[in-house]
Amino acid sequence: MTTTAPALVDYDDVVARYEPTLGLEVHVELSTSTKMFCGCPTDFGAEPNTQVCPTCLGLPGSLPVVNRAAVEAAIRIGLALNCSIAPWGRFARKNYFYPDMPKNFQTSQYDEPIAVDGWMDVTLEDGEVVRVGIARAHMEEDTGKSLHVGGADGRIHGAEYSLLDYNRAGVPLIEIVTKMIPGTGERAPEVARAYVTQLRDLIKSLGVSDVRMDQGSMRCDVNLSLSPTGSGVLGTRTETKNVNSLRSVERAVRHEMQRQAGVLDGGGVIVQETRHFEEQSGTTRPGRRKETSEDYRYFPEPDLVPIAPDAEWVEELRGTLPELPWEHRRRIQEAWILSDEELRDLVNAGALELIEATVAEGAPAGEARSWWVAYLTQQANSRGVELADLPITPAQVARVIALVASGELNNKLARQVVDGVLAGEGEPDEVVEKRGLKVVSDDSALIAAVDEALAAQPDVVEKIKGGKVQAAGAIVGAVMKATQGQADAKRVRELIIERCG
């Protein structure tokens, strides 16, 4: 192992001479109300060390109890991934020391996982389908969190001191491990991203996790090795830990391919180790030498009874599986007459489910789509938040659309109503009332405004009288300005034509 970083090899050169083999391990935090082996809550963002007890802190005399809801979620995930559900299995102790591991071991599953031997067909953007084999999905508990103060980018190197928050220790985790994925060639980074994207969508549809990669409730470990093309020899792998965005998964695979090629080209040897992904530079850096299973000294957890899910219960859970997300999207695409590009844009923007929910509240699909993709996406971008995190619900958007359809609002006023909802001023009808935003449709008020505008623009009046009806737009604009956008534009136009004879 050299002390200086090897030069990165041009990506096209890498794929011309080397074959990558992928392996992906995805950790998913479950959205159970309590932890895996105790009754502590799992709320994200709570004050440090306020959601702990003797059991998740590993204090002497405390005993764990398995969370049934977590087992149910694990089975449903396994079934959705076409896995076989084990009729019997045990938890094990995975022994290693780390400051945020209060027990000095992690309760996990080793040789008896709850779900094994599955698969998922992953569709790439051009329609090519890659079948990814699933080796296992097993249950375990999460660790706590370390905060290193004074170091660069929150890293331990150079830190003045470290703080520990054990709130996350014991939160239920499902680790989904793929089989080796060979033969992806130049598309390896794309395959990795597509797999994690599709897996995230699948798990979210099951309702067992919010899969928020930005909050750590879904994390990916990228295993990658290179071997000379046609050699038939499997290269030594590295494991890039805790990659926390879809884009970063793709970048991590690409960088490791270029880095490992540089090591091999320079006559070096790939070290089996963990690596850390650097978000800003898109590179990886060394972590620790990778342990083998023997290093963890696995042995059966003596304080927990085996897990033996009844076959009838498993079949009941199979019946609760929802429509697969990609099948659901295909149906929506046909119903809304969307192109592949339009559908992809809606999905990437996080708008599809919001539009569906708005339609379910009675709004036309086209209007719902227009609001979420245009004005509300602009608002989300300006606030620097995800579309789904805007403080407005599909039901509220549907109500605004209904007010426009009834003529009580025009589009300009509707945007002001949405602004009021986003500002926390209440429901759409309350905002309309408080801000006085209803469309003015009373003829007496409109006639006065129309007559004033006509008197101010006699040349336009002559054009209208001469048959150039399109000139009425100038008068409509003047009336709308005078009424601060609250006039009924359609009625204003009718009155202009009438007043001009």
Side-chain angles (χ1 to χ4, degrees), residues 131-194:
R131 174 159 291 192
V132 176
I134 307 296
R136 56 191 282 148
H138 65 261
M139 298 179 288
E140 58 187 24
E141 59 181 337
D142 211 342
T143 61
K145 295 176 68 175
S146 300
L147 176 63
H148 306 295
V149 181
D153 300 323
R155 302 292 187 185
I156 193 171
H157 302 290
E160 298 175 12
Y161 59 91
S162 296
L163 300 174
L164 295 173
D165 178 9
Y166 290 119
N167 280 349
R168 197 177 68 180
V171 170
L173 273 184
I174 302 298
E175 181 175 353
I176 301 163
V177 182
T178 70
K179 299 176 182 178
M180 288 191 297
I181 314 171
T184 55
E186 65 180 353
R187 306 195 74 172
E190 182 185 355
V191 170
R193 177 172 182 160

Side-chain angles (χ1 to χ4, degrees), residues 371-387 389-392 415-416 418-420 422-423:
W371 272 102
W372 284 107
V373 172
Y375 191 69
L376 287 169
T377 293
Q378 293 174 6
Q379 296 301 306
N381 291 339
S382 67
R383 294 164 180 245
V385 300
E386 297 293 327
L387 193 59
D389 293 333
L390 283 175
I392 189 168
R415 285 191 289 272
Q416 294 182 50
V418 169
D419 290 342
L422 293 173

Side-chain angles (χ1 to χ4, degrees), residues 115-299:
V116 296
D117 196 25
W119 53 269
M120 183 170 68
D121 284 337
V122 177
T123 304
L124 306 183
E125 283 199 2
D126 63 356
E128 180 182 344
V129 176
V130 177
R131 174 159 291 192
V132 176
I134 307 296
R136 56 191 282 148
H138 65 261
M139 298 179 288
E140 58 187 24
E141 59 181 337
D142 211 342
T143 61
K145 295 176 68 175
S146 300
L147 176 63
H148 306 295
V149 181
D153 300 323
R155 302 292 187 185
I156 193 171
H157 302 290
E160 298 175 12
Y161 59 91
S162 296
L163 300 174
L164 295 173
D165 178 9
Y166 290 119
N167 280 349
R168 197 177 68 180
V171 170
L173 273 184
I174 302 298
E175 181 175 353
I176 301 163
V177 182
T178 70
K179 299 176 182 178
M180 288 191 297
I181 314 171
T184 55
E186 65 180 353
R187 306 195 74 172
E190 182 185 355
V191 170
R193 177 172 182 160
Y195 166 76
V196 178
T197 300
Q198 197 163 301
L199 181 62
R200 182 192 63 173
D201 293 344
L202 176 63
I203 292 174
K204 187 175 182 180
S205 75
L206 296 174
V208 297
S209 173
D210 62 9
V211 288
R212 289 285 299 269
M213 298 188 78
D214 59 317
Q215 294 182 359
S217 56
M218 182 173 180
R219 325 189 276 274
C220 179
D221 297 343
V222 175
N223 291 274
L224 186 121
S225 66
L226 286 185
S227 54
T229 300
S231 68
V233 177
L234 186 64
T236 301
R237 69 183 174 92
T238 61
E239 181 180 9
T240 304
K241 301 286 288 184
N242 295 328
V243 185
N244 61 4
S245 77
L246 300 175
R247 177 171 175 262
S248 295
V249 169
E250 185 172 8
R251 293 170 74 202
V253 173
R254 188 182 186 94
H255 177 266
E256 268 303 284
M257 289 173 64
Q258 293 180 279
R259 186 194 68 84
Q260 290 188 22
V263 172
L264 296 173
D265 284 357
V269 176
I270 303 299
V271 177
Q272 184 172 326
E273 63 184 356
T274 62
R275 297 186 68 83
H276 300 286
F277 183 72
E278 301 288 350
E279 192 71 42
Q280 292 185 343
S281 62
T283 61
T284 64
R285 63 175 179 80
R288 55 182 167 80
R289 293 293 180 96
K290 182 63 178 170
E291 293 93 345
T292 64
S293 59
E294 289 79 8
D295 295 320
Y296 291 121
R297 295 178 292 110
Y298 283 101
F299 65 86

Side-chain angles (χ1 to χ4, degrees), residues 318-339:
R318 191 188 302 275
T320 68
L321 298 182
E323 181 181 28
L324 294 175
W326 37 96
E327 294 178 354
H328 177 72
R329 288 171 187 165
R330 192 177 305 117
R331 180 167 57 80
I332 291 295
Q333 182 179 14
E334 293 174 356
W336 294 357
I337 316 176
L338 300 173
S339 67

